[in-house]
Each structure stands twice: as C-alpha cells, then as structure tokens.
Amino acid sequence: MSNQDDSKKIDLTELIDMCNNHPSNVSLSNRAVQDGNKDFNLPTESEIKIFIGDGNLEDAVFKGCDESRELIGVFITPYTFRTGTKFGYLAYHRKKNDNTKIHIKSFHKDNLNPKNALSSLADFFPKSLNGEENE
C-alpha cells in the first residue's frame, strides 16, 4: 500500500529552474539517462537537463506524490508530459541527505498514456483515409 502525501510534491518549476541555473544540483539515475537516450534521443545527463530546463515538458500533469518503496521517508514527484508527438513520464525527489539537490529517478516514454496508442497507430498508417500524407 502506498503512502501518498501531495504536500511533499516538488513543483515542476523548481526542477526546471534547477536544470537551468544549478544543473550540478540535479542528478539522474543511470536508468533515466539510458531511457532518455532511447526514448527521446538525449544521450547525456547534460542534454536531459537542458531539455527539461528549456521547457520541453509540455502539458505536464502531476500524478500524485508517493513515498519511495526503496527509500523510506523520500517522496517521489511524478509527472506525465508531452513533447511534440511523444508522451513521457518523469519522476524525481529531493536527495535524502541534501535537500538542496534533486535526483531524477525516471525519465522515459509514457507507455500508459492512452494517447500513445493513437500516435503509435499513426506510425503504421502513413496516409490518411483520403490519401493525403499525415503530418
């Protein structure tokens, strides 16, 4: 059973600001870097921070703050977002021993977003029913 507490949420604008103005205070898990490369063609930690800092997380939706299963007392702030035609998932938290730093735990394609199914279908059907190219 999860322990949800939305008062522990770290506002997305704070993460964006840190990526812009204090990138050394933002760290990423190895998995977030691997997925960022695979899913968004952002091969380095630095490029992911620039991407976030430049405001590329469109239509971001907060998903509810839950306590980490691995780190007791640490609350994860998750968001889904869109960038162009891709949908993504971002989850982060404050570092347990240093509240001035943020750690990005997850940064990947959002497979649970129902809009992804529609965009995936468009990849299989490059022409619309009336014969025009899709944009």
Side-chain angles (χ1 to χ4, degrees):
M1 180 170 209
S2 73
N3 184 6
Q4 187 166 351
D5 184 352
D6 290 350
S7 72
K8 305 286 187 183
K9 169 186 171 188
I10 305 167
D11 195 71
L12 186 58
T13 57
E14 183 178 349
L15 176 63
I16 291 168
D17 178 64
M18 286 184 80
C19 285
N20 274 327
N21 299 312
H22 307 285
S24 62
N25 286 349
V26 178
S27 61
L28 282 85
S29 70
N30 289 335
R31 181 66 185 252
V33 175
Q34 291 169 357
D35 289 344
N37 183 24
K38 178 180 56 122
D39 296 341
F40 299 103
N41 198 30
L42 299 168
T44 67
E45 190 171 315
S46 178
E47 287 179 274
I48 293 170
K49 291 178 196 178
I50 291 168
F51 176 85
I52 292 169
D54 283 349
N56 291 299
L57 306 177
E58 303 167 55
D59 303 326
V61 175
F62 174 64
K63 302 309 275 183
C65 200
D66 282 315
E67 188 172 16
S68 170
R69 289 175 287 204
E70 297 91 17
L71 302 169
I72 304 302
V74 172
F75 284 80
I76 308 296
T77 301
Y79 279 88
T80 56
F81 64 91
R82 178 182 62 79
T83 182
T85 60
K86 293 182 180 181
F87 293 88
Y89 176 84
L90 169 71
Y92 54 94
H93 61 85
R94 292 203 190 280
K95 294 286 260 184
K96 190 167 186 160
N97 297 326
D98 187 347
N99 280 336
T100 65
K101 297 185 180 195
I102 292 178
H103 181 70
I104 298 174
K105 179 182 183 303
S106 301
F107 180 74
H108 56 79
K109 174 173 64 171
D110 182 9
N111 294 322
L112 300 178
N113 192 319
K115 294 178 183 175
N116 273 340
L118 295 176
S119 64
S120 296
L121 282 174
D123 293 338
F124 290 108
F125 300 104
K127 293 187 181 237
S128 66
L129 292 176
N130 64 5
E132 295 175 6
E133 292 283 336
N134 285 340
E135 293 183 13

